[in-house]
């Protein structure tokens, strides 16, 4: 058991409907191009595979994909889309769970490494990725850059979405490097809002590079998005690629 918060059945059942934009062709197309190019002729392993938003279409492109998932409820939603033989999923945490065989690609998308709430567990996640990689294989992480520059003096909250159906903001514990993502989501047409919150441990790119070095991986590339936009001091997120030496 890790510090990750477990997705319950209700959250898993809502997930795909609430992430339609992230499942759109405009978002998924560049993501799949990037990952398929790194996988080449080898196998891919997704940590925190969830409902298969990325893994299922990547498998449809011909890349053999396996997954590790902490929530049995999320895995059950994935299983409605594809069978175990086509896309095997192992239940467990991404810091310690081992899947048989070697992979040319291990990847973590959509900020999911931040679900591990301690630095030690995030380090172990890098070690686990390295454990699964064949020599020359890559570990890919998609993660937001902490938006601390947006915090006014003495305040600890940053809004990230204000719309008719959703209000979202993050609050920050600057000492513990913990952010809490708060959501007010409108359910139905009766005007009521559902409140939810999730905890995450944020980390800077340089901190992840050190985790990679501890795991024996070397930084190969860092870009601002899946299309390869250069990463700069103004980038809101990064796609980082570390390689296991031959």
């Amino acid at each position: 058991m890790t510090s990750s918060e477990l997705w319950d059945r209700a959250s898993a059942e809502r997930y795909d409907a609430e992430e339609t934009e992230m499942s759109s062709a405009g978002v998924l197309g560049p993501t799949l191009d990037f990952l398929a190019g790194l996988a080449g002729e080898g196998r891919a392993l997704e940590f925190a595979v969830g409902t298969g938003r990325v893994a299922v279409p990547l498998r449809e492109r011909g890349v053999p994909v396996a997954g590790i998932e902490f929530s049995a409820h999320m895995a059950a939603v994935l299983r409605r889309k594809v069978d175990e033989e086509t896309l095997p999923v192992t239940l467990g945490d991404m810091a310690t769970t081992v899947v048989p065989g070697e992979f040319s690609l291990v990847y973590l998308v959509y900020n999911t490494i931040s679900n591990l709430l301690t630095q030690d567990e995030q380090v172990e996640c890098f070690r686990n990725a390295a454990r699964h990689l064949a020599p020359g294989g890559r570990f890919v992480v998609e993660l937001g850059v902490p938006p601390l520059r947006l915090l006014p003096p003495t305040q600890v909250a940053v809004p990230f979405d204000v719309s008719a159906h959703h209000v979202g903001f993050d609050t920050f514990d600057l000492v513990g490097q913990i952010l809490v993502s708060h959501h007010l989501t409108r359910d139905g047409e009766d005007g009521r809002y559902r409140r939810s919150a999730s905890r995450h441990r944020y980390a800077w790119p340089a901190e992840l590079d050190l985790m990679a070095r501890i795991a024996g991986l070397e930084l190969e590339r860092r870009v601002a998005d899946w299309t390869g936009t250069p990463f700069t001091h103004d980038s809101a997120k990064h796609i980082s690629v570390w390689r296991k030496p031959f």
Side-chain angles (χ1 to χ4, degrees):
M1 179 69 68
T2 75
S3 59
S4 295
E5 296 177 343
L6 195 63
W7 287 73
D8 60 20
R9 184 185 301 276
S11 299
E13 293 293 338
R14 289 193 301 262
Y15 184 82
D16 286 345
E18 293 182 346
E19 297 294 345
T20 53
E21 181 180 354
M22 293 301 296
S23 299
S24 66
V27 172
L28 273 183
T31 305
L32 299 175
D33 290 341
F34 193 105
L35 295 174
L38 291 179
E41 299 298 318
R43 303 166 68 210
L45 174 62
E46 181 171 351
F47 285 178
V49 67
T51 65
R53 178 183 67 90
V54 174
V56 171
L58 186 61
R59 182 66 185 89
E60 291 172 350
R61 287 202 175 194
V63 178
V65 181
I68 293 173
E69 175 53 43
F70 193 44
S71 168
H73 301 298
M74 294 288 275
V77 175
L78 180 152
R79 192 52 66 223
R80 298 173 198 159
K81 304 173 184 178
V82 63
D83 61 37
E84 175 71 17
E85 182 177 354
T86 302
L87 203 165
V89 174
T90 302
L91 291 179
D93 70 85
M94 55 187 164
T96 62
T97 302
V98 177
V99 175
E102 285 188 328
F103 297 83
S104 62
L105 174 67
V106 177
Y107 65 94
L108 262 171
V109 297
Y110 206 15
N111 302 320
T112 45
I113 194 170
S114 70
N115 293 347
L116 298 170
L117 299 179
T118 70
Q119 186 184 70
D120 285 345
E121 288 171 347
Q122 291 179 354
V123 168
E124 288 306 312
C125 181
F126 271 80
R127 285 177 166 155
N128 200 29
R131 183 181 298 121
H132 285 90
L133 286 172
R138 278 94 164 200
F139 181 38
V140 176
V141 171
E142 176 187 22
L143 185 62
V145 177
L148 302 188
R149 294 168 62 193
L150 301 179
L151 282 174
T154 75
Q155 295 191 28
V156 295
V158 173
F160 59 85
D161 184 37
V162 179
S163 62
H165 293 279
H166 178 257
V167 175
F169 61 94
D170 293 329
T171 55
F172 293 84
D173 170 0
L174 302 181
V175 175
Q177 284 185 218
I178 297 293
L179 71 84
V180 181
S181 188
H182 303 265
H183 302 268
L184 294 170
T185 306
R186 188 173 182 178
D187 279 336
E189 300 301 326
D190 59 4
R192 292 184 299 176
Y193 282 79
R194 170 173 44 83
R195 181 177 180 179
S196 62
S198 58
R199 294 185 301 154
H200 306 268
R201 182 185 187 272
Y202 64 84
W204 299 97
E207 185 181 2
L208 298 185
D209 288 342
L210 184 55
M211 294 180 189
R213 289 180 61 186
I214 292 171
L217 304 176
E218 302 170 349
L219 180 66
E220 182 177 75
R221 185 184 183 197
R222 174 168 291 128
V223 292
D225 56 38
W226 295 107
T227 65
T229 301
F231 180 77
T232 72
H233 65 279
D234 288 325
S235 299
K237 73 173 185 179
H238 61 98
I239 315 296
S240 295
V241 181
W242 297 274
R243 189 167 188 172
K244 184 174 183 176
F246 286 96

